[in-house]
């Protein structure tokens, strides 16, 4: 049997096996729920260029990004060697020589063979020597097999070229410095021309077999992302970050139905662990790792593609405790290099738990309060504006007279005694600046942002519709809120009901008044402060700059923590967690964050811009016994006006 026929048979068998293994992954996607991801093709394609081509997110962890870039670029260069190997074997006489196969292409192959081996060596060092915690739970065996196969492909390629050079069967050895050096070394060790020709043949078939083994192995490996990462990034959600997708249900079950994009997410996971490293629930010792949630769903999907149609995801494949651990902070989605969408999956599974009335007592009580009174504390609506009684002026009732700024105050800012003083301070600042503002008094209801993210979709819709009805009867130019959670619900989620409100965080309004000369403030003495980016202001809605500009305008020296802006660390309150038991945490996220702030030399104040943050971090400072070292201070409390 000729070598050409053998190669054709091997290639056909490998291609068939690869296709069969990939089809097992594709088949469930064909019957999955629909997902509309075909709009804005240029924006989608440009995202692929940034994420895949430029390694935009990968390079945020420098070593990992660089070594991946080395392997990634080398793969494309060395693909020319694969083409040459199969081309010459399948069609005798085939050569890349006319386009530089023996000159510049040969040089690039030699250079990038070294780059590839260096990249793989760095990857091995990172995994087995450096051993970052984010790799915990990842499949190390799978990674090691890939390392071996890549090394086999590259080394066999170099030995094949070295054998040909040593046998004198090819010219242009000056274009292959690495292969020539290997050939010279082997010749110095006594390699004869006949042995060199044998080496060339053996290395050629080793190269072919390593490539085919790699091809066949990939569909069952996490490294299938080399084929799926670009499509997964292309089909990422382009909706605003703060808009949670509506529930997706199968026709015959109340359980969440996986869409084809959900499945593509699961298959695309690289197990890099960046999501796990960013997750506040995981850091606090709760049983949630976004990585493991995705891989557990993936493994069950691969093992039993029909399982999700007959059994609920929540409580069967993924434990209830895992799902309730999530703060919906979106840090996992922000760092994922292949744009996996963890949070919508978690919320959708929570919806089925809510439907089955599977929730802890504290959460159940809070949701019941919200149903009865419109706030999680269960307090009477007429008490919502009681904080205004100590003000030396009357705040307009936006239901009765037109206002420029309609202030949607929010539950914690209205009812919680730990925050009410800040609320009054904001009102005083607006009044001193001559701002035309009003509130809704007892007509305001909880915005529903966290209600929705616990999975209580029906209650969210009820609260939203009541607020929309109230707002529709008011005359205002814009809405202001001190609560980033309300900011997100009013500005993003409510759009699904056909309304588009101009909503601003109070930091924007105060900065506007300062810069416009309407609010004259005394500058501080350069005291060192740090600032916490709230998840729903920063990561969800891009509100990074106004708070920092306000801090600077007040004369304070801001030093950001290591985890800031898009990479800010959640306080632990979001996603309804503020209504749940945290006694099982090994360390509360808020305490973790305070320790990070204390590590900054000279920092005296911890600045917040969210009522929940004021509550969470004040409690954390007290729990850690560091009240004398760090003052938790709202943005409004920094501003001292001049008479």
């Amino acid at each position: 049997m000729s070598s050409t026929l053998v190669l054709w048979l091997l290639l056909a068998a490998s291609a068939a096996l690869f296709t069969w293994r990939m089809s097992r992954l594709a088949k469930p996607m064909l019957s999955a729920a629909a997902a509309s991801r075909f709009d804005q093709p240029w924006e989608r394609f440009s995202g692929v260029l940034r994420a895949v081509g430029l390694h935009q997110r990968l390079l945020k962890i420098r070593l990992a990004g660089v070594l991946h870039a080395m392997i990634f670029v080398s793969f494309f260069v060395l693909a020319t060697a694969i083409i040459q190997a199969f081309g010459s074997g399948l069609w005798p006489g085939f050569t890349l020589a006319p386009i530089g196969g023996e000159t510049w292409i040969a040089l690039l192959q030699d250079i990038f063979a070294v780059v590839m081996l260096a990249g793989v060596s760095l990857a091995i060092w990172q995994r087995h020597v450096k051993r970052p915690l984010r790799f915990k739970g990842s499949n190390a065996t799978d990674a090691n097999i890939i390392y071996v196969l890549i090394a086999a492909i590259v080394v066999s390629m170099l030995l094949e070229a070295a054998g040909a050079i040593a046998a004198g069967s090819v010219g242009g050895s000056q274009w292959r410095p690495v292969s020539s050096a290997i050939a010279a070394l082997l010749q110095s060790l006594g390699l004869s021309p006949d042995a060199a020709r044998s080496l060339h043949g053996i290395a050629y078939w080793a190269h072919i077999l390593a490539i085919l083994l790699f091809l066949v192995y990939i569909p069952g490996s996490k490294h299938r992302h080399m084929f799926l990462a670009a499509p997964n990034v292309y089909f990422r959600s382009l909706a605003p970050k703060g808009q949670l997708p509506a529930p997706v249900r199968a026709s015959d079950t109340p359980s969440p139905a996986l869409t084809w994009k959900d499945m593509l997410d699961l298959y695309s996971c690289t197990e890099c662990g960046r999501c796990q490293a960013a997750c506040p629930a995981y850091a606090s010792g709760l049983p949630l790792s976004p990585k493991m949630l995705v891989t557990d769903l993936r493994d069950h999907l691969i093992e039993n593609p029909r399982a999700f149609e007959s059994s609920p995801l929540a409580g069967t494949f993924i434990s209830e405790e895992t799902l309730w651990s999530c703060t919906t902070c979106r840090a996992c989605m922000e760092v994922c290099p292949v744009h996996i969408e963890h949070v919508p999956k978690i919320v959708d599974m929570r919806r089925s738990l809510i439907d089955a009335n599977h929730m802890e007592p504290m959460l159940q009580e809070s949701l019941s309060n919200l149903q009865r009174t419109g706030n999680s504390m269960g307090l009477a609506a007429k008490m919502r504006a009681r904080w205004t009684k100590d003000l030396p002026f009357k705040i307009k009732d936006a239901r009765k007279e037109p206002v420029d700024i309609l202030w949607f105050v929010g539950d914690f800012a209205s009812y919680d005694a730990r925050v009410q003083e800040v609320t009054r301070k904001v009102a005083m600042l607006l009044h001193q600046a001559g701002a035309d503002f009003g509130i809704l008094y007892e007509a305001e209801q909880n915005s529903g942002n966290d209600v929705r993210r616990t999975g209580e979709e029906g209650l969210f819709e009820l609260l939203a519709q009541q607020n929309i009805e109230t707002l529709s009867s008011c005359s205002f130019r814009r809405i202001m809120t001190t609560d980033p959670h309300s900011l997100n619900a009013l500005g993003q989620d409510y759009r699904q009901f056909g309304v588009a409100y101009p909503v601003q965080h109070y930091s924007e309004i105060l900065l506007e008044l300062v810069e416009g000369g309407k609010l004259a403030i005394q500058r501080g003495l350069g005291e060192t402060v740090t600032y916490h980016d709230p998840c729903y202001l920063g990561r969800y809605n891009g509100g990074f700059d106004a708070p920092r500009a306000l801090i600077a305008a007040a004369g304070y020296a801001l030093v950001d923590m290591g985890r800031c802006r898009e990479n800010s660390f959640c306080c632990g309150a979001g996603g309804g967690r503020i209504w749940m038991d945290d006694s099982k945490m090994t360390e509360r996220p808020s305490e973790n964050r305070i320790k990070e702030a204390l590590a900054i030399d000279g920092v005296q104040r911890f600045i917040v811009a969210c009522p929940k943050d004021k509550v969470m971090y004040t409690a954390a400072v007290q729990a850690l016994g560091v009240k004398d070292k760090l003052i938790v201070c709202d943005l409004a409390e920094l501003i001292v006006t001049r008479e």
Side-chain angles (χ1 to χ4, degrees):
M1 186 181 294
S2 70
S3 61
T4 299
L5 180 58
V6 170
L7 183 55
W8 274 110
L9 291 174
L10 284 173
L11 180 59
S14 300
L17 190 53
F18 171 83
T19 302
W20 175 73
R21 299 191 75 196
M22 288 296 284
S23 68
R24 293 183 64 207
L25 304 179
K27 189 174 180 181
M29 295 177 64
L30 298 177
S31 58
S36 180
R37 301 295 179 92
F38 297 94
D39 58 325
Q40 303 180 59
W42 171 245
E43 177 60 25
R44 295 186 177 282
F45 180 68
S46 63
V48 174
L49 292 179
R50 293 191 300 271
V52 179
L54 299 179
H55 280 41
Q56 188 178 60
R57 292 186 175 182
L58 281 166
L59 287 168
K60 289 183 178 180
I61 299 179
R62 188 59 55 86
L63 173 63
V66 169
L67 71 87
H68 190 278
M70 293 168 69
I71 295 171
F72 177 79
V73 175
S74 298
F75 172 81
F76 286 100
V77 175
L78 298 184
T80 59
I82 295 173
I83 294 170
Q84 176 64 48
F86 279 92
S88 62
L90 297 172
W91 299 282
F94 175 88
T95 178
L96 294 178
I99 60 170
E102 295 177 0
T103 54
W104 66 272
I105 292 179
L107 177 62
L108 288 177
Q109 288 174 357
D110 260 32
I111 291 172
F112 280 93
V114 174
V115 173
M116 176 72 89
L117 291 175
V120 170
S121 298
L122 284 172
I124 293 171
W125 178 82
Q126 177 181 239
R127 181 169 293 277
H128 296 290
V129 179
K130 189 178 181 185
R131 299 174 67 184
L133 293 176
R134 61 189 175 89
F135 283 165
K136 184 178 181 181
S138 298
N139 191 335
T141 301
D142 180 37
N144 292 333
I145 290 172
I146 289 294
Y147 298 153
V148 170
L149 287 173
I150 292 175
I153 292 170
V154 176
V155 171
S156 60
M157 181 199 78
L158 290 173
L159 289 176
E160 179 189 354
I165 291 170
S169 56
V170 296
S173 60
Q174 70 273 17
W175 290 98
R176 290 192 178 275
V178 179
S179 300
S180 295
I182 295 172
L185 175 62
L186 294 174
Q187 287 173 323
S188 70
L189 295 174
L191 183 73
S192 66
D194 287 340
R197 281 187 286 273
S198 296
L199 173 63
H200 174 266
I202 293 170
Y204 171 79
W205 283 104
H207 187 56
I208 291 293
L209 291 174
I211 293 167
L212 295 179
L213 281 173
F214 186 87
L215 180 70
V216 170
Y217 180 74
I218 280 295
S221 164
K222 64 186 179 183
H223 292 83
R224 68 176 76 85
H225 73 264
M226 63 187 295
F227 297 111
L228 300 181
N232 203 57
V233 174
Y234 182 86
F235 290 117
R236 70 197 184 281
S237 174
L238 297 183
K241 293 178 180 180
Q243 280 188 11
L244 191 67
V248 177
R249 291 287 182 265
S251 58
D252 57 349
T253 174
S255 297
L258 290 178
T259 68
W260 61 263
K261 177 57 172 66
D262 288 324
M263 294 183 183
L264 186 59
D265 270 354
L266 304 184
Y267 295 147
S268 300
C269 180
T270 70
E271 299 185 26
C272 67
R274 292 166 188 250
C275 57
Q276 182 172 286
C279 179
Y282 183 82
S284 67
L286 293 177
L288 170 62
S289 159
K291 175 182 69 178
M292 300 307 296
L293 180 140
V294 167
T295 57
D296 285 348
L297 286 173
R298 178 201 66 197
D299 292 345
H300 281 296
L301 177 61
I302 291 173
E303 291 168 10
N304 188 355
R306 309 292 295 184
F308 295 145
E309 298 177 13
S310 58
S311 302
L313 300 175
T316 303
F317 299 121
I318 306 298
S319 74
E320 294 181 15
E321 293 79 10
T322 294
L323 296 172
W324 291 125
S325 298
C326 181
T327 68
T328 67
C329 70
R330 209 179 185 275
C332 52
M333 294 175 62
E334 194 69 36
V335 298
C336 179
V338 295
H339 290 255
I340 290 171
E341 297 161 17
H342 312 76
V343 173
K345 294 175 183 54
I346 291 172
V347 172
D348 215 25
M349 286 186 277
R350 281 180 168 185
R351 286 165 175 154
S352 64
L353 293 178
I354 291 288
D355 290 343
N357 201 31
H358 288 184
M359 67 192 93
E360 60 181 67
M362 287 178 62
L363 176 60
Q364 190 169 39
E365 180 182 0
S366 296
L367 294 177
S368 178
N369 287 338
L370 283 155
Q371 179 96 36
R372 289 186 300 104
T373 66
N375 65 83
S376 62
M377 294 83 168
L379 298 173
K382 64 182 180 181
M383 296 177 62
R384 183 175 283 274
R386 183 168 291 182
W387 62 270
T388 66
K389 290 184 180 297
D390 294 331
L391 292 172
F393 57 91
K394 174 72 173 176
I395 298 180
K396 282 186 176 182
D397 187 336
R399 298 168 298 173
K400 300 176 180 178
E401 52 186 318
V403 293
D404 176 47
I405 300 170
L406 191 154
W407 181 3
F408 195 97
V409 185
D411 288 4
F412 275 81
S414 297
Y415 289 108
D416 196 299
R418 293 166 291 184
V419 188
Q420 285 177 335
E421 192 57 42
V422 173
T423 308
R424 282 189 285 270
K425 179 63 183 292
V426 173
M428 290 291 293
L429 292 172
L430 293 174
H431 179 71
Q432 290 172 23
D436 178 23
F437 71 102
I439 61 176
L440 296 173
Y441 287 85
E442 68 272 14
E444 181 183 305
Q445 302 275 297
N446 183 284
S447 70
N449 185 80
D450 297 289
V451 172
R452 190 179 200 198
R453 282 153 183 83
T454 65
E456 209 349 332
E457 192 72 18
L459 179 54
F460 161 71
E461 291 181 4
L462 176 65
L463 292 168
Q465 288 167 355
Q466 289 175 343
N467 281 322
I468 290 170
E469 183 178 349
T470 299
L471 291 169
S472 66
S473 66
C474 301
S475 176
F476 58 91
R477 187 169 68 89
R478 50 185 171 168
I479 296 175
M480 182 195 82
T481 181
T482 53
D483 177 20
H485 299 252
S486 297
L487 174 85
N488 187 74
L490 294 165
Q492 303 293 353
D493 281 330
Y494 283 21
R495 290 177 181 268
Q496 296 175 9
F497 297 97
V499 295
Y501 298 122
V503 188
Q504 292 179 277
H505 188 248
Y506 76 117
S507 60
E508 292 183 84
I509 302 291
L510 293 181
L511 181 63
E512 174 188 313
L513 296 173
V514 170
E515 293 181 339
K518 296 181 179 179
L519 193 60
I521 62 176
Q522 297 180 18
R523 290 182 59 81
L525 301 176
E527 181 181 335
T528 300
V529 303
T530 193
Y531 169 68
H532 169 74
D533 287 284
C535 301
Y536 278 91
L537 175 61
R539 195 151 40 232
Y540 272 91
N541 288 283
F544 300 115
D545 297 330
R548 287 173 169 79
L550 201 58
I551 291 169
Y556 291 87
L558 174 65
V559 179
D560 274 321
M561 290 174 278
R563 295 175 293 185
C564 64
R565 302 182 75 90
E566 292 90 345
N567 297 315
S568 181
F569 191 69
C570 180
C571 74
R577 280 298 312 174
I578 200 166
W579 302 323
M580 300 183 211
D581 179 24
D582 63 1
S583 62
K584 294 182 180 179
M585 293 180 175
T586 56
E587 181 183 54
R588 293 176 178 84
S590 55
E591 294 171 11
N592 180 305
R593 189 65 157 159
I594 290 297
K595 290 178 182 178
E596 182 179 5
L598 287 170
I600 301 173
D601 288 339
V603 68
Q604 297 169 281
R605 294 178 188 265
F606 185 94
I607 311 304
V608 297
C610 171
K612 290 186 177 73
D613 285 341
K614 179 73 171 179
V615 170
M616 298 295 284
Y617 289 119
T618 298
V621 165
Q622 292 172 344
L624 293 171
V626 294
K627 290 190 294 182
D628 58 332
K629 297 180 180 178
L630 193 66
I631 300 171
V632 177
C633 183
D634 188 90
L635 273 175
E637 295 176 293
L638 289 183
I639 298 176
V640 178
T641 57
R642 295 198 300 267
E643 295 298 334

